[in-house]
């Protein structure tokens, strides 16, 4: 690991220590909802490639998450299978019902991500909707993930992975008033 990478990892760990909701608070909320999960600790991961290195022995579906916005300040958290290619232009048209510039999606900034979902880049997860008390972010879920059992997601930090049954993830999202729009990305 280079000195720059080590510094980045240290900064990320420090930032994650100050989150609005801790992993323990999230896991307590899941338990309160009657949801059973299994959480594994690992080195911090910031990319799908790094995640694949630590998740080799974890069964089930592995995800990537895109925090997106448009010119109108609408925001989406899109959760898809980790190897899924996402055409942002086509997705923008599907999500907004518009074409051209009005449908153009871009990635939300790290500041916006922390403001609305309370996580840092590299730790984006469907569980982050627990922090969206204003219900500003719309949840989008790859329909294919419902066939994966379990679904593996970060519990608000990028140095842990939590396995959850797909129906339990839906239960959590609905309990947090973020019923997902199911999209077929195939």
């Amino acid at each position: 690991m280079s000195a720059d990478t080590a510094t980045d990892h240290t900064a990320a760990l420090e930032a994650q220590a100050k989150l609005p909701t801790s992993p323990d608070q999230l896991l307590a909320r899941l338990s309160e909802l009657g949801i059973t999960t299994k959480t594994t600790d690992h080195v911090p991961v910031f990319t799908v490639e790094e995640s694949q290195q630590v998740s080799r022995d974890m069964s089930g579906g592995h995800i990537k998450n895109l925090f997106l916005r448009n010119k109108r300040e609408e925001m989406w958290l899109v959760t898809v299978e980790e190897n899924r290619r996402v055409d942002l232009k086509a997705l923008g048209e599907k999500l907004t019902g518009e074409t051209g510039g009005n449908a153009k999606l871009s990635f939300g900034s790290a500041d916006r991500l922390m403001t609305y979902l309370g996580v840092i880049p590299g730790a984006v997860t469907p569980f982050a909707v627990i922090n969206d008390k204003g219900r500003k972010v719309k949840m989008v879920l790859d329909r294919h993930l419902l066939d994966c059992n379990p679904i593996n997601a970060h519990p608000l930090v990028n140095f842990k992975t939590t396995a959850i049954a797909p129906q339990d993830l839906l239960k959590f999202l609905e309990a947090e008033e973020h019923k997902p729009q199911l999209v077929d990305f195939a």
Side-chain angles (χ1 to χ4, degrees):
M1 181 183 309
S2 72
D4 287 341
T5 303
T7 301
D8 290 346
H9 284 192
T10 300
L13 291 172
E14 289 171 0
Q16 291 176 100
K18 302 173 188 169
L19 297 176
T21 304
S22 72
D24 289 341
Q25 290 168 314
L26 168 66
L27 296 174
R29 173 68 172 137
L30 293 168
S31 180
E32 179 183 298
L33 293 169
I35 296 172
T36 302
T37 61
K38 178 183 178 199
T39 299
T40 304
D41 293 343
H42 53 73
V43 298
V45 294
F46 295 88
T47 66
V48 170
E49 292 77 22
E50 290 176 345
S51 180
Q52 288 172 334
Q53 295 300 312
V54 300
S55 66
R56 280 187 222 157
D57 298 328
M58 297 177 197
S59 65
H62 299 275
I63 60 175
K64 67 180 172 186
N65 299 276
L66 309 174
F67 179 57
L68 304 172
R69 62 179 288 255
N70 66 7
K71 290 179 183 178
R72 289 196 214 142
E73 302 294 316
E74 295 173 296
M75 295 172 285
W76 293 267
L77 175 56
V78 180
T79 299
V80 298
E81 192 275 328
E82 69 181 349
N83 293 316
R84 179 85 62 203
R85 291 186 48 89
V86 178
D87 177 341
L88 291 184
K89 181 179 179 189
L91 180 60
E93 291 173 359
K94 190 177 284 192
L95 296 179
T96 65
E98 307 217 16
T99 57
N102 289 334
K104 186 177 181 188
L105 298 177
S106 60
F107 290 96
S109 68
D111 287 342
R112 181 180 290 265
L113 178 62
M114 181 56 76
T115 298
Y116 290 97
L117 292 177
V119 294
I120 66 165
V124 184
T125 172
F127 294 131
V129 300
I130 196 170
N131 294 315
D132 182 26
K133 303 302 184 194
R135 313 292 180 257
K136 300 290 186 189
V137 180
K138 299 171 190 146
M139 185 70 214
V140 178
L141 193 63
D142 182 348
R143 186 181 306 277
H144 165 73
L145 289 172
L146 299 181
D147 297 329
C148 298
N149 195 11
I151 296 172
N152 294 284
H154 292 308
L156 308 174
V157 293
N158 65 353
F159 53 88
K160 296 177 181 280
T161 296
T162 296
I164 186 169
Q167 294 309 315
D168 285 340
L169 178 59
L170 290 175
K171 180 179 180 179
F172 166 76
L173 294 171
E174 290 175 13
E176 294 299 319
E177 298 180 36
H178 282 80
K179 182 177 181 177
Q181 177 179 349
L182 298 175
V183 174
D184 185 357
F185 284 90

